Amino acid sequence: MTYDFAVIGAGMAGASIAAELASEARVLLLEAEDAPGYHATGRSAAFWDECYGGPGVVPLTLASGPYLRDHGFLTTRGALHLGRASDRAAMDAFVATFAGTGVTIERLDRAAIEPRVPGLRSGWCEAIHEPACADIDVAGLHQHYLGQARRSGVELVCRAQVAALVREPGGWRIVTEAGGEYRASKIVNAAGAWADPVAALAGIAPLDIRPLRRTVVQLRVDPPAPADLPLVLDINGHFYFKPDNGRLWLSPHDEIPAEAGDAAPEELDVAIAIDRFEQATSWRIEAVERRWAGLRSFAPDRLPVYGADPADGSFFWFAGQGGFGIQTAPAAARLGAQLALGQGRDAMTRNIDPAAYSPARFHHENKLRTA
């Protein structure tokens, strides 16, 4: 059997685009691990933030919001980007950056911050408030797409790490390390941190999509983290924290270059996170209960990559989604499927410019550099 599309990677990216493609095509979904979602999808900090990823990602985030809310995957929490007096220029720049993008933000002073973040140390005197920020049910959304894919006839094969991609007349022969062999007319590269290595297997020039490690720790604190605490971020990107079932999830907002693999937290990064938290709040840390790390993969311009490779239209990129791939999954998958199937935009995607995310932008830059 020859599939129309073989999607490589069954995390959020692969599951969502496979589900969207399956209404019009025969789809194979290949996952290297024992089960989908082991890496980035299963290690998300689980929030939907209108400003996350920058202005270039905002159209995808805003387009995804109604779908996520209507299907019950969002629970409103709100977010605060905190700053000191010395950070006012950074606060002003943040506001200016998102002016006209459609996001909702407002400035707060210390008096308005204190009831929202009890125990905040003096010196943190202003904030930018994002009222629409929400917790996102990552596992629920992932299972939603896997279920939709299954009902639409997608064949999911786990323990199927790709060992070879062989170009043949009319399509591709895919060989897995377990010895499986499949054929498909087109490849969809949704391999996350492995996106460039998968491209190399196909003889496609990599796009310099690099995995960066991010650390998260779960703390038991005194007093306990209030259930209605907003997502709290440092305006300079030095930390963020949010409550989770009476505990606190804390990250040093790190981006450490790493090899594609099973990411693990480093003790130094955990210590940095705790030090930054203690500089911001007076809460006492009673225990570090869990720690984990995940890989967030970025293209050089930190925008996602959706579209057929200019060198071979049968190889389709759906990668480079950084830490925002979950919150943008509905619109990204819909747009990706429309591009791969040659369809027009619909109500969800009509305000999204696909050219902004095309892999052709990197081929153009490479030609300019070598001219």
Side-chain angles (χ1 to χ4, degrees):
M1 175 179 179
T2 298
Y3 297 88
D4 297 310
F5 295 93
V7 179
I8 299 175
M12 189 68 77
S16 59
I17 195 169
E20 290 285 349
L21 288 168
S23 64
E24 302 289 339
R26 294 168 297 177
V27 181
L28 172 68
L29 182 58
L30 297 175
E31 170 56 46
E33 302 295 345
D34 292 347
Y38 177 75
H39 292 286
T41 298
R43 308 181 196 198
S44 167
F47 56 80
W48 182 89
D49 179 344
E50 289 181 317
C51 295
Y52 192 59
V57 177
V58 166
L60 294 163
T61 301
L62 295 184
S64 296
Y67 186 97
L68 294 170
R69 281 188 288 269
D70 292 348
H71 287 80
F73 295 120
L74 296 184
T75 303
T76 301
R77 174 166 300 285
L80 291 178
H81 299 260
L82 299 178
R84 301 179 175 90
S86 59
D87 297 321
R88 284 194 179 125
M91 307 286 273
D92 292 342
F94 186 99
V95 172
T97 294
F98 291 97
T101 62
V103 305
T104 301
I105 56 178
E106 58 182 336
R107 299 287 282 265
L108 300 181
D109 60 15
R110 175 74 190 198
I113 299 169
E114 285 180 349
R116 291 176 167 87
V117 189
L120 186 66
R121 295 192 185 276
S122 61
W124 299 91
C125 57
E126 59 180 292
I128 295 169
H129 180 218
E130 289 188 70
C133 182
D135 292 341
I136 184 167
D137 179 0
V138 177
L141 181 62
H142 191 215
Q143 289 303 314
H144 166 79
Y145 279 121
L146 288 171
Q148 181 181 326
R150 182 179 62 253
R151 291 188 296 273
S152 298
V154 172
E155 181 180 353
L156 169 64
V157 182
C158 295
R159 304 183 190 90
Q161 183 168 336
V162 175
L165 294 171
V166 182
R167 193 70 167 93
E168 297 181 334
W172 296 87
R173 178 164 55 89
I174 305 138
V175 181
T176 70
E177 290 192 352
E181 191 166 306
Y182 309 89
R183 282 177 168 79
S185 299
K186 295 183 178 181
I187 298 291
V188 177
N189 182 3
W194 288 265
D196 271 3
V198 165
L201 287 175
I204 299 293
L207 299 182
D208 198 23
I209 295 176
R210 298 185 179 184
L212 304 176
R213 188 179 71 243
R214 172 149 297 175
T215 304
V216 181
V217 296
Q218 178 176 295
L219 305 176
R220 187 173 76 245
V221 295
D222 182 28
D228 61 352
L229 184 75
L231 170 68
V232 179
L233 310 97
D234 169 38
I235 192 65
N236 295 306
H238 291 158
F239 63 78
Y240 61 77
F241 56 86
K242 57 171 280 192
D244 183 75
N245 295 320
R247 299 303 194 252
L248 197 79
W249 283 10
L250 166 69
S251 173
H253 216 154
D254 49 342
E255 292 187 347
I256 311 298
E259 296 294 325
D262 190 359
E266 299 285 345
E267 289 300 325
L268 177 60
D269 299 322
V270 172
I272 289 171
I274 290 171
D275 177 65
R276 291 174 179 174
F277 177 73
E278 291 178 333
Q279 290 182 43
T281 77
S282 60
W283 295 351
R284 186 171 67 87
I285 297 174
E286 294 186 329
V288 177
E289 295 184 331
R290 293 174 57 210
R291 63 195 76 194
W292 66 94
L295 297 180
R296 305 157 68 254
S297 301
F298 290 94
D301 60 4
R302 297 180 72 89
L303 292 178
V305 186
Y306 308 139
D309 191 89
D312 190 332
S314 70
F315 186 91
F316 192 90
W317 292 87
F318 195 68
Q321 299 189 83
F324 45 79
I326 291 169
Q327 71 174 38
T328 61
R334 183 72 54 84
L335 176 66
Q338 289 166 348
L339 294 172
L341 293 166
Q343 297 176 336
R345 307 292 85 78
D346 65 1
M348 183 187 288
T349 61
R350 68 164 58 104
N351 294 322
I352 300 172
D353 177 11
Y357 312 119
S358 170
R361 69 193 194 264
F362 298 114
H363 288 256
H364 177 66
E365 291 170 4
N366 289 338
K367 288 180 180 178
L368 289 177
R369 282 195 293 266
T370 57

